[in-house]
Amino acid sequence: MTGGRSSSEAGTQSSGAATGGGRGGSGAGSAGGAGRDPLAFLADEIEELKRASLYRPMRVLSSPQAAEVVVDGKELINLSSNNYLGLATHPRLVKVALETTRDFGVGSGAVRTIAGDMSIHEKLEAELAEFKHVEAVLTFQSGFTANTGVIPVVTGENDLIVSDALNHASIIDGMRMSKAPRVVYPHKDIAGLRELLRTAREKGRVDAGGAPYRLILVVTDGVFSMDGDIAPLPEIVAAAEEFGAAVMVDDAHASGVLGKNGRGTVDHFDLHGRVHIQVGTMSKAMGVLGGYVAGSRALRDMLTQRARPFLFSTSHPPAVAAACLEAIHVLLEQPELIDHLWANTIYFKGELRRLGFDAGVSETPITPVMMGDSAMAQRFSARLFDEGVFAQAVVFPTVALDRARIRTIVTAEHSTEQLDRCLAAFVKVGRELGLVQA
Ligand SMILES: *Cc1c(COP(=O)(O)O)cnc(C)c1O
């Protein structure tokens, strides 16, 4: 039941499809041939990607992650990180990480359920639960593994997952790992969502003579990671409640950004107690690394028994957990960081639009500058690089083929002077490449 899948989601699911790949070419025909590299098709596929402007070279930072960075040896203003609040280099987090490393070493040495559950992991989860106003939290190695961990645990063949068309790749992978069928509603389309929920309730399970689903789970990003728009969570919750469904929100880009002290979209919309599963990340605004699932005590307990990334992958180094804990304290004690982030966001987005750029539907610090095709996006990004601005192009399969863009994120650390230098570079390159009027 995957009908109605968006081009974006379909794209995310088959990265080789757009270019035809190299498999049909010289590489695969000689499978089994002696003396030939059996992985030779990879080089062919890479050439295809490069020809289609879809190959993304990695830029190497030789400085800390900050408002100004050294990338491939060049000093640039950084518009490409998720380090919204500058916590990646915050002195308090660095100090705690160093002290914890000295006291507890660099690694945890085991998965949580064997011998890798340290007091700092438990302390972090207890404080996160309090911060999020939920019963319990379980942390994962990343936001990605939080999603791929939780979805197959709470859903199975008797259930239905209802997913926004632009949900993050880790949600898509989590759904693929679940035995539950899924249906996709058009991005933020509440009428479409309600229709799917109504049908699911009326028809029940087609494979089981119309028996009712055990669980219908509506899943959405809180802030959509490529367009920077916010999910209409009050309407989603209302629809879910009407049809007896549960709601899961992935707040990776809302953690530390939206809600009081950065508690996320549930707090932003005052929906405490009405969203059953909240996923968050500690890798973005919190500046460190990790993901978590926040919800009921039973949810946490079940995840400790069944979530595969939790059971079969080593827990965070103690310094990582300690730095995440300190990040919560900084969110609570320095709310001015979030205020500054939003002041910069409003300024930068407003100026970009005033200058004639298409910032799409963004309403958060994630501001895409729409380019259309991949070649333009890559060229624009390369020219910004020359002009001293680090702003990466995002192309297929991260976004749909015809939705290539430069994705910018301002942080609390940027000065107005830095943002003005970025805007000047955007105007210069935009005129040069004919994207805005001269
Ligand atoms: C970045 C992101 C993740 C993954 O978080 P990590 O901690 O980096 O693994 C999950 N979901 C969404 C919506 C994201 O934007």
Side-chain angles (χ1 to χ4, degrees):
M1 293 172 74
T2 51
R5 189 189 294 160
S6 77
S7 58
S8 161
E9 193 179 349
T12 311
Q13 295 184 14
S14 57
S15 55
T19 60
R23 272 189 194 108
S26 58
S30 57
R36 215 176 173 295
D37 175 6
L39 294 183
F41 63 88
L42 292 177
D44 299 344
E45 291 187 359
I46 288 164
E47 277 317 304
E48 280 294 324
L49 287 174
K50 286 184 175 164
R51 260 195 293 279
S53 298
L54 293 174
Y55 187 84
R56 286 172 287 184
M58 287 194 282
R59 299 292 201 178
V60 182
L61 272 70
S62 54
S63 67
Q65 186 63 266
E68 294 208 22
V69 283
V70 179
V71 183
D72 293 339
K74 193 171 152 72
E75 262 182 53
L76 303 166
I77 304 172
N78 183 9
L79 292 179
S80 286
S81 87
N82 299 315
N83 182 28
Y84 289 104
L85 303 174
L87 297 196
T89 54
H90 195 289
R92 281 177 59 177
L93 275 68
V94 172
K95 180 166 179 280
V96 161
L98 289 171
E99 286 170 0
T100 307
T101 299
R102 233 173 263 128
D103 293 346
F104 290 91
V106 292
S108 75
V111 302
R112 294 274 296 277
T113 47
I114 307 278
D117 192 20
M118 296 173 130
S119 53
I120 188 68
H121 297 127
E122 296 284 337
K123 191 162 192 291
L124 169 61
E125 288 169 345
E127 291 205 21
L128 262 177
E130 200 177 314
F131 178 71
K132 296 286 286 184
H133 301 318
V134 296
E135 266 178 36
V137 161
L138 192 70
T139 55
F140 287 77
Q141 295 84 355
S142 67
F144 199 104
T145 52
N147 276 328
T148 56
V150 67
I151 295 173
V153 171
V154 296
T155 61
E157 56 201 359
N158 303 334
D159 308 316
L160 179 70
I161 306 172
V162 185
S163 170
D164 185 286
L166 292 187
N167 276 343
H168 190 258
S170 55
I171 293 177
I172 295 169
D173 283 12
M175 294 192 296
R176 287 165 160 176
M177 290 179 198
S178 168
K179 291 199 175 71
R182 63 179 152 118
V183 286
V184 175
Y185 60 95
H187 181 52
K188 299 209 305 190
D189 180 348
I190 297 299
L193 168 64
R194 288 174 52 85
E195 201 44 48
L196 291 177
L197 290 174
R198 184 194 321 279
T199 306
R201 274 299 169 221
E202 279 172 6
K203 299 230 165 87
R205 293 171 51 202
V206 270
D207 62 324
Y213 290 104
R214 179 187 67 168
L215 167 70
I216 299 175
L217 181 67
V218 181
V219 186
T220 182
D221 279 19
V223 170
F224 289 87
S225 51
M226 290 302 135
D227 291 294
D229 51 340
I230 302 173
L233 210 52
E235 290 79 10
I236 291 172
V237 165
E241 286 174 348
E242 182 182 339
F243 295 101
V247 175
M248 166 172 157
V249 61
D250 174 359
D251 258 347
H253 280 286
S255 309
V257 174
L258 279 176
K260 188 169 187 321
N261 301 96
R263 284 180 171 82
T265 50
V266 171
D267 189 85
H268 174 73
F269 287 116
D270 199 14
L271 293 167
H272 290 289
R274 296 170 68 190
V275 171
H276 309 81
I277 303 173
Q278 295 180 64
V279 168
T281 185
M282 301 180 282
S283 323
K284 290 172 176 158
M286 284 171 69
V288 196
L289 173 70
Y292 59 87
V293 177
S296 69
R297 166 66 48 188
L299 175 65
R300 180 184 191 273
D301 288 349
M302 198 60 193
L303 290 172
T304 66
Q305 304 306 300
R306 288 285 182 271
R308 294 170 70 84
F310 183 82
L311 290 171
F312 298 108
S313 186
T314 298
S315 55
H316 277 152
V320 168
C324 290
L325 182 59
E326 191 65 6
I328 302 172
H329 299 161
V330 170
L331 288 179
L332 291 169
E333 291 161 31
Q334 296 184 237
E336 66 275 12
L337 288 173
I338 298 178
D339 296 341
H340 197 192
L341 168 68
W342 279 95
N344 278 349
T345 296
I346 288 161
Y347 176 70
F348 189 69
K349 202 191 306 289
E351 287 299 292
L352 273 176
R353 286 185 170 139
R354 193 180 61 76
L355 292 164
F357 289 98
D358 175 4
V361 292
S362 167
E363 44 192 337
T364 66
I366 300 171
T367 304
V369 182
M370 307 309 288
M371 298 278 151
D373 77 56
S374 310
M376 174 65 122
Q378 303 257 27
R379 201 173 329 127
F380 205 106
S381 174
R383 282 290 296 117
L384 285 175
F385 192 94
D386 300 337
E387 298 295 327
V389 176
F390 186 41
Q392 289 280 64
V394 179
V395 299
F396 180 87
T398 309
V399 295
L401 264 178
D402 58 349
R403 303 279 294 160
R405 68 202 59 189
I406 306 276
R407 178 165 167 274
T408 70
I409 294 184
V410 299
T411 72
E413 282 190 316
H414 287 100
S415 65
T416 306
E417 188 266 331
Q418 287 170 327
L419 296 180
D420 285 341
R421 270 155 62 200
C422 293
L423 291 163
F426 263 93
V427 170
K428 182 173 177 192
V429 176
R431 285 179 183 159
E432 190 182 297
L433 299 182
L435 200 73
V436 291
Q437 301 282 310

